[in-house]
């Protein structure tokens, strides 16, 4: 399994990246984490990061199975999950498959367990991103409110191109967009925190309230005023503070 460990704390947190990310895409967050209280494990999905070249179905269920396999390899009986975007769908699938092992869920602009609806024009933009760096840049710009520097956008595109296989990237889109298992998590009592960026037009507060808010009675929603879809880059100090404050309350 591809993973990176940060911290030696008793509270294990498995960290799951988004569609454009990898286990290395959390660098801005690392200096602000409490490494004595928490032990973070940053995972790569198949076809991403250290797992480039590893084939599979690239489904949400397969990714969740890989997370549980990594937890077993690491000897973790119980853990929390921190998932960004696509990783937010995967973390909910892990919970649905092994609820007794999950202490808490934290989603950063997470994809709901119902998937994400697209109109035809937006789907064409996203589907074309596998072969078009320009599409990738436009998506990242759009999901952060068309307000961030081009230098950062270009770095995000480079990271995506260098840390994901084309076929894995392409296959992951319908996986996170079209997989619907929300009936399996409705009414779940697990503690859930969701961080939504005010400048995220797709997975912002309104979407979270209509999905996570309807399914998880113990949801805590935080709206970050200075973030879009990538709070770990846009508001790293605030993100570390809010996440660890929430996780520190969980038994």
């Amino acid at each position: 399994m591809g993973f990176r460990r940060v911290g030696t704390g008793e509270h294990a947190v498995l960290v799951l990246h988004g569609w454009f990310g990898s286990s290395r895409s959390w660098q801005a967050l690392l200096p602000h984490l409490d490494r004595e209280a928490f032990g973070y494990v940053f995972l790569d999905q198949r076809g991403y990061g250290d797992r480039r070249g590893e084939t599979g179905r690239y489904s949400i269920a397969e990714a969740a199975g890989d997370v549980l396999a990594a937890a077993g390899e690491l000897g973790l009986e119980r853990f929390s999950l921190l998932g960004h975007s696509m990783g937010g769908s995967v973390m909910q699938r892990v919970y649905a498959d092994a609820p007794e092992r999950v202490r808490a869920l934290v989603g950063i602009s997470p994809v709901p367990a119902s998937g994400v609806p697209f109109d035809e024009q937006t789907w064409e933009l996203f589907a074309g991103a596998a072969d078009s760096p320009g599409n990738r840049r436009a998506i990242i710009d759009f999901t952060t409110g068309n307000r961030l520097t081009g230098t950062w956008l270009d770095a995000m595109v480079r990271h995506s191109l260098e840390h994901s296989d084309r076929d894995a990237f392409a296959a992951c889109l319908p996986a996170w967009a079209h997989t619907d298992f929300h009936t399996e998590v409705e009414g779940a009592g697990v503690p859930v925190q969701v961080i939504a960026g005010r400048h995220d037009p797709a997975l912002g507060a309104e979407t979270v309230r209509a999905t996570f808010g309807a399914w998880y009675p113990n949801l805590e929603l935080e709206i970050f005023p200075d973030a879009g879809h990538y709070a770990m880059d846009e508001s790293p100090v605030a993100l570390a503070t809010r996440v660890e404050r929430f996780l520190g309350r969980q038994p």
Side-chain angles (χ1 to χ4, degrees), residues 5-13 34-40 76:
R5 303 188 75 165
V6 173
T8 57
E10 174 275 334
H11 192 146
V13 184
D34 184 340
R35 303 181 184 211
E36 294 184 1
F38 300 95
Y40 292 92
L76 302 177

Side-chain angles (χ1 to χ4, degrees), residues 65-151:
D66 286 348
V67 172
L68 289 169
E73 183 178 334
L74 292 162
L76 302 177
E77 289 299 321
R78 295 191 75 228
F79 46 83
S80 292
L81 292 155
L82 171 62
H84 173 241
S85 195
M86 173 177 71
S89 177
V90 177
M91 77 174 185
Q92 293 173 84
R93 184 68 258 174
V94 173
Y95 174 77
D97 292 341
E100 73 285 352
R101 300 184 66 182
V102 178
R103 294 174 69 163
L105 301 176
V106 178
I108 304 168
S109 298
V111 170
S114 56
V116 178
F118 282 82
D119 59 43
E120 184 177 351
Q121 182 178 1
T122 306
W123 181 258
E124 289 180 1
L125 174 67
F126 276 65
D131 297 307
S132 170
N135 283 34
R136 298 189 193 209
R137 193 181 195 276
I139 292 166
I140 297 166
D141 194 20
F142 170 69
T143 57
T144 51
N146 305 111
R147 49 184 257 287
L148 301 179
T149 171
T151 302

Side-chain angles (χ1 to χ4, degrees), residues 18 55 63-64 80 84 104 106 120 124 126 141 165 169 173 180 198-199 201 232 237 248 251:
T55 59
S80 292
H84 173 241
V106 178
E120 184 177 351
E124 289 180 1
F126 276 65
D141 194 20
D165 292 335
F169 183 89
L173 172 59
D180 183 353
R198 185 169 68 88
H199 301 282
M232 70 283 285
V237 178

Side-chain angles (χ1 to χ4, degrees), residues 205-216:
E206 183 178 349
T207 297
V208 172
R209 292 190 181 104
T211 55
F212 285 81
W215 308 328
Y216 296 102

